[in-house]
Amino acid sequence: MPVLNRIASYAEDMKGWRRHLHMHPELAFDCRETAAFIVERLREIGVDEIHEGIAKTGIVALIRGRAEGPVIGLRADMDALPIEELTGAPHASTVKGRMHACGHDGHVTMLLGAAKYLAETRNFAGTVALLFQPAEEDGGGGQVMVQEGVMDRFGIGQVYGIHNAPNVPFGHFTTTPGPLMASVDTAFVYITGRGGHGATPHETVDPVVAVVGMVQAIQTIIPRNVYALDEAVISVTQIHTGTASNIIPEEAMFCATIRCFKPDVRALLKKRFHEIVEGHAAAYGVSARIDYDWGYPATINHEDETDFAAGVAREVVGPEAVDARANREMGSEDFSYMLEARPGAYLFLGTGPGAGLHHAAYDFNDEVSPVGASFFARLVEKAQPLG
């Protein structure tokens, strides 16, 4: 793989950093040990400024080039997931019920590798802002960092990020201009009827039947209300009710994840979801309460910045290993908030065969760290060249 030779020489250091992070996962905004480890590495690297406590445990570090110029932002998320690890690796999580099952330990490592190179060489104009973000998985740390003013405070003009992609060929980049990842909303529906004996259903108001009707009807929203070329997903992922075979329960609940790319489709999905639940509640004689969590917006790449980033990726891994018009993803990302605030692009980096993201057997492929770090470094040098 034609990575930068200097970064290739960091490979063992990067592996050590990543595996330390993997062994000590932290959740959401509570990334204190992770942040402390990152700050220690940044001080060793010799960055110019370190700003801590952003979005509780987030970090912004600055590296200045050899001439005046703009500021480019590079982002890595750093939180883990509440999953019991099953890799059996020597560097497996030491914290019960938590693991880096999405590769954020690798994202941090790639950005640290790029920082080490950029701080040594400084072969660029302007400034690099390294954004280490908590709470991508839960809490929207990207939104909080934007709300706390990191873009204006540090004068960031454009921003980029990458995410590892298991089972995409090793070292291959994929992205696309425009919508890349979906928005995500979550609906929790709580239904109340009147419980009683299973032998006398006529004396009850059965919430189980109501739930079944609602869930079936919700599955008609996309094929009958959404234009066929406007991708969308509604998946009912939980149904909870009942305690025994001969009891009709008093209450039931279900929840769904709701995803799409366009704001008007997003509004339509919410409207139809409410109409169906409320209509069926009336039809079945139950009451229904809906908690509709308006979540991350769609991750929308800016066209010029995406084309530029894809060109940099081609320099690093070769033209045949870059797909700059790839299919978009129904997963979601709070990097979307940063792309709403500034132009930029998000790319996926293939890590080869292995367990998928959010799986208990997942482990980041350390061999890809120099590739991602080289991409970040060349991105800066090409975006803000000297002379």
Side-chain angles (χ1 to χ4, degrees):
M1 188 65 61
V3 301
L4 296 173
N5 289 335
R6 186 68 183 129
I7 289 179
S9 72
Y10 309 153
E12 285 303 310
D13 286 340
M14 295 171 73
K15 182 187 291 186
W17 300 340
R18 205 281 301 181
R19 295 187 175 191
H20 172 90
L21 292 167
H22 192 87
M23 292 174 69
H24 301 92
E26 295 177 295
L27 303 180
F29 290 99
D30 190 24
C31 292
R32 302 181 193 285
E33 290 185 20
T34 303
F37 179 83
I38 293 168
V39 167
E40 187 176 354
R41 302 289 79 72
L42 291 170
R43 287 180 177 144
E44 291 171 356
I45 287 166
V47 303
D48 296 300
E49 295 181 23
I50 301 173
H51 301 265
E52 301 178 65
I54 299 169
K56 296 187 178 178
T57 53
I59 301 161
V60 176
L62 304 180
I63 305 172
R64 297 188 181 89
R66 299 183 187 179
E68 294 298 315
V71 182
I72 184 171
L74 306 176
R75 174 267 204 172
D77 40 13
M78 58 186 191
D79 56 319
L81 284 159
I83 296 174
E84 186 70 26
E85 182 163 353
L86 297 177
T87 64
H91 55 273
S93 171
T94 61
V95 184
K96 185 173 179 58
R98 298 181 189 176
M99 71 170 290
H100 272 290
C102 201
H104 296 184
D105 49 348
H107 300 170
V108 168
T109 297
M110 291 188 288
L111 190 52
L112 285 172
K116 182 174 174 65
Y117 171 86
L118 292 167
E120 285 182 359
T121 60
R122 299 185 186 256
N123 188 32
F124 61 93
T127 302
V128 180
L130 310 168
L131 309 171
F132 295 93
Q133 178 213 305
E136 187 279 325
E137 298 290 356
D138 181 20
Q143 181 184 31
V144 176
M145 291 187 83
V146 170
Q147 289 174 338
E148 292 186 5
V150 294
M151 299 300 175
D152 292 332
R153 177 180 173 186
F154 299 104
I156 297 170
Q158 55 183 324
V159 65
Y160 296 87
I162 53 179
H163 200 295
N164 76 99
N167 300 307
V168 171
F170 179 88
H172 283 228
F173 282 90
T174 65
T175 190
T176 194
L180 175 70
M181 301 183 74
S183 62
V184 57
D185 303 315
T186 307
F188 296 89
V189 181
Y190 302 92
I191 299 153
T192 303
R194 184 172 66 250
H197 202 291
T200 56
H202 62 286
E203 296 176 355
T204 72
V205 179
D206 191 346
V208 177
V209 176
V211 166
V212 171
M214 290 175 187
V215 169
Q216 288 180 324
I218 284 166
Q219 299 308 311
T220 70
I221 294 174
I222 291 171
R224 288 297 173 266
N225 299 125
V226 177
Y227 178 48
L229 299 183
D230 288 337
E231 301 100 322
V233 166
I234 300 178
S235 293
V236 175
T237 54
Q238 296 182 55
I239 298 176
H240 299 287
T241 189
T243 57
S245 63
N246 61 350
I247 299 172
I248 291 175
E250 188 89 4
E251 298 177 332
M253 70 82 64
F254 71 94
C255 74
T257 184
I258 301 162
R259 298 164 185 261
C260 64
F261 295 99
K262 294 182 177 179
D264 59 335
V265 175
R266 193 179 188 190
L268 171 66
L269 295 176
K270 181 178 181 180
K271 175 176 178 289
R272 290 297 294 133
F273 191 96
H274 278 76
E275 289 172 346
I276 285 173
V277 169
E278 291 162 3
H280 277 69
Y284 286 104
V286 299
S287 64
R289 175 172 61 87
I290 304 170
D291 290 345
Y292 202 96
D293 178 19
W294 203 255
Y296 300 168
T299 302
I300 300 177
N301 279 338
H302 296 252
E303 186 165 359
D304 290 345
E305 286 72 18
T306 303
D307 290 343
F308 169 72
V312 173
R314 291 185 189 102
E315 287 191 10
V316 176
V317 299
E320 70 288 346
V322 178
D323 183 354
R325 293 295 185 273
N327 290 333
R328 43 198 182 182
E329 304 277 340
M330 296 309 299
S332 63
E333 241 296 341
D334 73 346
F335 190 68
S336 55
Y337 294 105
M338 295 190 180
L339 290 176
E340 286 185 337
R342 290 294 186 272
Y346 198 61
L347 301 89
F348 294 102
L349 173 57
T351 57
L357 302 175
H358 291 217
H359 192 284
Y362 169 86
D363 194 12
F364 181 82
N365 183 352
D366 288 308
E367 300 303 314
V368 86
S369 290
V371 181
S374 294
F375 167 77
F376 274 141
R378 288 297 292 147
L379 191 72
V380 172
E381 293 175 343
K382 295 285 288 186
Q384 299 176 183
L386 288 168

